[in-house]
Amino acid sequence: MSNPGGTARRQKSKFTYKHLSQLSLSSTSSPLRVVAHIDLDAFYAQCEMVRLGVPEDKPLAVQQWQGLIAINYPARDFGLNRHITITEAKKLCPELIMQHVATWREGDERWAYHDDAFEHIATHKVSLDPYRLQSRRILATIKDALPAAPLQKVEKASIDEVFLDLSAQVHSLLLARYPELDGPPPYDDMSESLPLPPTTALDWNTDALIDLDTTETEDDDPDWDDIAMLIGSEIIRSVRATIRQELHYTCSAGIAQNKMLAKLGSAHKKPNQQTIVRNRAVQQFLSSFKFTKIRNLGGKLGDQVVSTFETETVRDLLEVPLDQLKLKLGDDTGSWIFQIIRGIDNSEVNSRTQIKSMLSAKSFRPSINTSEQAMRWLRIFVADIYTRLVEEGVLENKRRPRTVNLHHRQGGQTRSRQAPIPQGRSIDEMVLLDLSKNLLNQVIAEGKAWPCANLSLSVGGFEDGITGNQGIGAFLVKGEEAKAMVSSVSKGSIGGNPATSNGPPEKRRKTDDGGIGRFLTKRESSREEHDEEFGAEDMSGEDSGQATGTVTAPERDEARTEGPLHLEAKEAGGVSFNAKPQACHVSDPLWQCADCNKSMELREKEEHRDWHFAKSLQAEDRSTTSRDPPRPIAAGAARRRKSRPVGRESRSASKPLASGDVASTFSAKVEKGQSRLAFGP
């Protein structure tokens, strides 16, 4: 069989039944994988246009204080960007509609839109809740437009973008459309090639197709990766149409084999378009890029690569051999860059939906100088966070935070305080406010609290609440069931005839060996998930790939995060959140450890102290065995050792325990079935 051009047509696909199986599992190593990236167009501006009912062809910009944080596409046609001032923007576009973001006003209990907000930076605080609420609606619409899990795999990436792994859904549609794929492989050999697709021409509708690599031509018949990509584009076109119809938002999209290529694709044609990066077009697509535009290759790493190899283009970096990349950048980084500039990205699409932390912050210009001013802002922070907690389900006890954190900046010094939220009672605004007052008073008591340039409050360590509890009546047996139970017990081994007994109870294996190891097992912490809640703090990346500049200082200061608090590159108002917070004792049922500053329930006190004591013994034993100088014992542990009863005699840090002494510290009483072990050389 041959093509009209005379070229022999391949008899089999280059893909195998194993590749098809990997597609069904959404495997990142499947060459048939399909990933999409959806990016809302000028999202903040669209939110205001939808809210105000502004026609789509009217220029609009979102204002924050004296700067612009979002500009719609009609306004960009006039040359507007986020670097220019409001005065310059109005000169360039006299018909420009200016809408200031919503703000919390000092003393108010809820955010609102204020016409004069830009004049009151000292008494107002920006609220991004309107955009956050809309992004939640959009995410829900996207999920509703897709089949349920396990076919659905959606990851929130920021306030205006979402990743979707369409592989499992594409696999199900492939089998439905092409029955020849729905069967066992020949000879039950998964390495057998798939039959060729019956289709020789594909209709990509109105999608933007990236040109093929120089070694490929459009005359070549499509293979199953092209078919999979086509099905993925149909799914995303339908999702975008649903968002448009139900919520009136436009978005752009990229469809490719992985997350990196899909994200670059969504920015290729904007607004309201989608781009397909076929596997045969990857090198053609990437070669025109600066590699600093690639996800995770910006910032310091990108600068290092530019300075090391004196280039910033993918095309030039492709000429650098792998061993040179490893030599200059290290094995791991060099290998990763070698793959990523060739379009290889095995990162997963993670369905992260739960919030890990919430932050509300304010930078003061001018600084505040009294505790009364600070308390007024704390009330706003608490109201702000509590509103979001209610949305998260704290009233229904679905999820709740474990800690509250206060960050205070005075001059060049940032101080952080942390306190546990009592777990035995419901959370309300008064609970959060009392804890916040406590933390602020600690900072003030240390002195040098004023003038304060930045103040922030956050809650974190979210965990699922306990639901479905039953009353005690549900555990009581009544009526005939109770009589039957009494009858069966009287005939059993307890109090019954030993001859008719079911025998002795089965012996249980003793898992607690009484050794030092039992002190070294710490309780596993509850699982926490990051909320990217579409990353409200990262407003600089609102439209990837567009001509957008760095965020203004007020924007960065006022941006509230609902993401992880270890913000190093994302500091709200300059507050360094990577400083280790200090725990404090705030309520009677809680106890604070003097050695590690951890707070816990009072009933865990003795076990925790024993753990420290055991750790100190282990450290001394190791130092003796390795003949290294002895490690110092924590002060709290040393004090406790002096007061220990026989079997835990105290020793100075300068006189390490001999190997045998480790056993002697626990030899006050040997339990039945145990024997003394000889330690030492």
Side-chain angles (χ1 to χ4, degrees):
M1 183 176 184
S2 62
N3 287 333
T7 308
R9 185 170 186 252
R10 289 177 290 117
Q11 297 300 311
K12 290 185 177 181
S13 168
K14 63 182 178 183
F15 301 104
T16 67
Y17 283 88
K18 179 181 179 181
H19 296 149
L20 185 64
S21 176
Q22 289 174 330
L23 181 69
S24 68
L25 301 174
S26 300
S27 169
T28 60
S29 60
S30 173
L32 297 173
R33 187 186 187 203
V34 182
V35 173
H37 179 261
I38 294 179
D39 188 7
L40 274 295
D41 300 319
F43 180 54
Y44 291 176
Q46 273 204 92
C47 286
E48 298 301 346
M49 292 171 69
V50 171
R51 182 180 69 87
L52 298 172
V54 175
E56 292 183 358
D57 60 345
K58 296 295 183 183
L60 178 144
V62 179
Q63 177 183 354
Q64 182 171 296
W65 311 134
Q66 298 300 322
L68 302 177
I69 64 171
I71 302 166
N72 70 358
Y73 285 89
R76 296 181 192 188
D77 292 339
F78 288 87
L80 273 64
N81 59 65
R82 290 188 287 188
H83 291 293
I84 65 176
T85 65
I86 292 175
T87 303
E88 292 171 332
K90 289 182 177 179
K91 286 182 180 179
L92 290 171
C93 182
E95 298 180 358
L96 181 67
I97 300 172
M98 302 287 297
Q99 176 59 55
H100 198 282
V101 296
T103 57
W104 290 82
R105 184 171 57 187
E106 190 176 13
D108 286 355
E109 295 183 357
R110 181 168 173 77
W111 57 264
Y113 284 93
H114 303 280
D115 294 336
D116 60 347
F118 65 95
E119 299 176 350
H120 301 286
I121 187 173
T123 57
H124 285 234
K125 182 184 123 37
V126 163
S127 172
L128 301 179
D129 278 349
Y131 312 132
R132 185 174 291 108
L133 294 173
Q134 290 303 306
S135 68
R136 287 174 180 162
R137 293 182 63 199
I138 293 168
L139 179 66
T141 301
I142 291 173
K143 290 185 174 182
D144 289 344
L146 298 171
L151 298 184
Q152 180 183 123
K153 202 169 184 182
V154 179
E155 173 186 336
K156 299 182 296 182
S158 76
I159 196 169
D160 59 355
E161 55 183 336
V162 181
F163 283 109
L164 304 93
D165 192 330
L166 304 173
S167 301
Q169 184 179 357
V170 167
H171 176 267
S172 67
L173 292 173
L174 272 175
L175 298 187
R177 295 184 187 182
Y178 302 94
E180 61 267 33
L181 299 179
D182 190 10
Y187 318 110
D188 289 329
D189 185 357
M190 296 296 287
S191 64
E192 280 287 320
S193 297
L194 296 170
L196 280 173
T199 307
T200 58
L202 302 179
D203 180 10
W204 296 97
N205 204 294
T206 57
D207 295 343
L209 274 180
I210 299 298
D211 292 337
L212 296 176
D213 297 341
T214 55
T215 58
E216 304 282 346
T217 69
E218 295 290 355
D219 293 333
D220 296 331
D221 290 335
D223 208 335
W224 290 112
D225 58 339
D226 298 313
I227 305 291
M229 208 70 71
L230 177 66
I231 294 175
S233 70
E234 295 171 0
I235 296 170
I236 294 303
R237 191 181 303 112
S238 174
V239 170
R240 291 174 53 237
T242 302
I243 296 172
R244 174 79 157 156
Q245 180 179 354
E246 295 185 6
L247 303 178
H248 312 294
Y249 290 100
T250 66
C251 53
S252 300
I255 299 97
Q257 188 184 23
N258 56 52
K259 293 172 72 174
M260 183 268 289
L261 292 171
K263 183 172 175 64
L264 292 175
S266 68
H268 184 66
K269 293 284 187 180
K270 291 178 71 75
N272 199 26
Q273 298 186 62
Q274 65 183 46
T275 299
I276 315 297
V277 186
R278 291 170 290 178
N279 293 351
R280 294 185 290 154
V282 170
Q283 285 307 309
Q284 178 69 22
F285 181 55
L286 287 179
S287 61
S288 61
F289 274 94
K290 293 181 178 180
F291 55 75
T292 51
K293 296 292 184 182
I294 295 177
R295 189 165 168 257
N296 297 326
L297 249 181
K300 292 182 179 179
L301 178 56
D303 293 341
Q304 180 186 356
V305 177
V306 170
S307 62
T308 301
F309 298 100
E310 298 181 345
T311 183
E312 57 182 358
T313 67
V314 171
R315 181 181 285 106
D316 292 340
L317 201 59
L318 284 169
E319 303 298 325
V320 181
L322 176 59
D323 57 350
Q324 283 297 309
L325 288 170
K326 289 183 175 181
L327 180 65
K328 300 289 187 180
L329 304 172
D331 287 352
D332 291 341
T333 302
S335 298
W336 177 79
I337 291 178
F338 183 84
Q339 290 187 320
I340 208 72
I341 61 176
R342 287 165 173 78
I344 303 170
D345 173 24
N346 292 325
S347 58
E348 290 192 26
V349 173
N350 297 313
S351 301
R352 296 173 298 191
T353 58
Q354 292 186 319
I355 292 172
K356 180 180 179 180
S357 57
M358 295 177 180
L359 169 73
S360 189
K362 173 70 178 177
S363 288
F364 303 112
R365 290 181 295 274
S367 300
I368 60 174
N369 293 283
T370 66
S371 58
E372 289 76 14
Q373 289 177 294
M375 278 307 307
R376 285 197 292 268
W377 284 108
L378 279 185
R379 289 189 181 93
I380 290 179
F381 296 164
V382 167
D384 182 12
I385 290 175
Y386 186 70
T387 299
R388 285 181 275 162
L389 286 174
V390 171
E391 294 173 1
E392 188 66 10
V394 71
L395 294 182
E396 298 84 9
N397 201 34
K398 293 179 180 177
R399 299 190 76 233
R400 58 180 290 146
R402 293 182 61 89
T403 58
V404 59
N405 308 270
L406 179 83
H407 302 278
H408 173 283
R409 191 178 79 220
Q410 190 271 332
Q413 182 182 13
T414 299
R415 285 178 283 186
S416 302
R417 293 293 179 272
Q418 181 187 82
I421 299 174
Q423 299 296 301
R425 53 186 295 193
S426 60
I427 298 177
D428 56 29
E429 288 189 60
M430 287 307 301
V431 169
L432 294 178
L433 187 59
D434 289 343
L435 292 171
S436 305
K437 288 179 183 178
N438 240 346
L439 299 179
L440 178 63
N441 288 335
Q442 291 180 41
V443 173
I444 295 174
E446 294 180 2
K448 295 184 179 180
W450 318 112
C452 173
N454 181 283
L455 194 64
S456 69
L457 189 71
S458 64
V459 293
F462 277 81
E463 63 181 4
D464 293 332
I466 300 174
T467 57
N469 283 352
Q470 298 177 328
I472 192 171
F475 298 92
L476 302 179
V477 183
K478 303 174 182 178
E480 296 300 322
E481 187 178 356
K483 292 178 181 178
M485 180 176 290
V486 171
S487 175
S488 64
V489 169
S490 64
K491 296 176 182 179
S493 60
I494 302 176
N497 189 344
T500 61
S501 166
N502 294 328
E506 183 181 354
K507 292 184 178 180
R508 296 182 181 178
R509 180 180 178 184
K510 186 173 182 180
T511 57
D512 184 3
D513 60 7
I516 193 170
R518 66 188 177 97
F519 293 100
L520 304 181
T521 303
K522 301 190 71 173
R523 186 178 290 107
E524 185 175 335
S525 60
S526 60
R527 180 172 178 265
E528 296 180 355
E529 293 186 4
H530 293 263
D531 170 45
E532 309 285 341
E533 196 51 72
F534 289 176
E537 76 281 0
D538 190 10
M539 293 181 284
S540 61
E542 182 186 318
D543 287 316
S544 304
Q546 301 301 312
T548 55
T550 329
V551 295
T552 61
E555 176 189 0
R556 183 175 63 252
D557 291 344
E558 299 300 337
R560 297 179 317 169
T561 69
E562 288 188 359
L565 285 181
H566 52 280
L567 306 177
E568 297 175 355
K570 298 178 181 178
E571 293 183 1
V575 180
S576 175
F577 295 110
N578 56 340
K580 184 178 179 180
Q582 298 179 6
C584 64
H585 183 195
V586 295
S587 58
D588 290 339
L590 299 174
W591 173 77
Q592 176 196 355
C593 175
D595 295 327
C596 63
N597 280 338
K598 288 189 177 180
S599 296
M600 61 199 68
E601 296 181 13
L602 191 59
R603 60 184 174 82
E604 300 176 354
K605 172 181 175 181
E606 289 305 319
E607 180 183 351
H608 186 77
R609 290 175 64 177
D610 285 342
W611 184 85
H612 274 296
F613 179 72
K615 285 289 287 184
S616 65
L617 292 176
Q618 185 187 50
E620 289 181 331
D621 182 46
R622 285 178 177 172
S623 66
T624 302
T625 304
S626 61
R627 300 189 184 278
D628 289 333
R631 301 179 186 178
I633 302 175
R639 287 194 301 270
R640 289 193 298 274
R641 287 179 56 194
K642 292 180 180 179
S643 60
R644 291 286 175 179
V646 177
R648 290 186 179 176
E649 51 271 57
S650 62
R651 292 176 180 260
S652 65
S654 61
K655 186 178 181 182
L657 287 167
S659 299
D661 290 341
V662 177
S664 69
T665 57
F666 296 98
S667 60
K669 180 180 180 181
V670 179
E671 297 183 16
K672 183 178 180 181
Q674 293 182 334
S675 60
R676 300 180 186 272
L677 297 178
F679 289 79

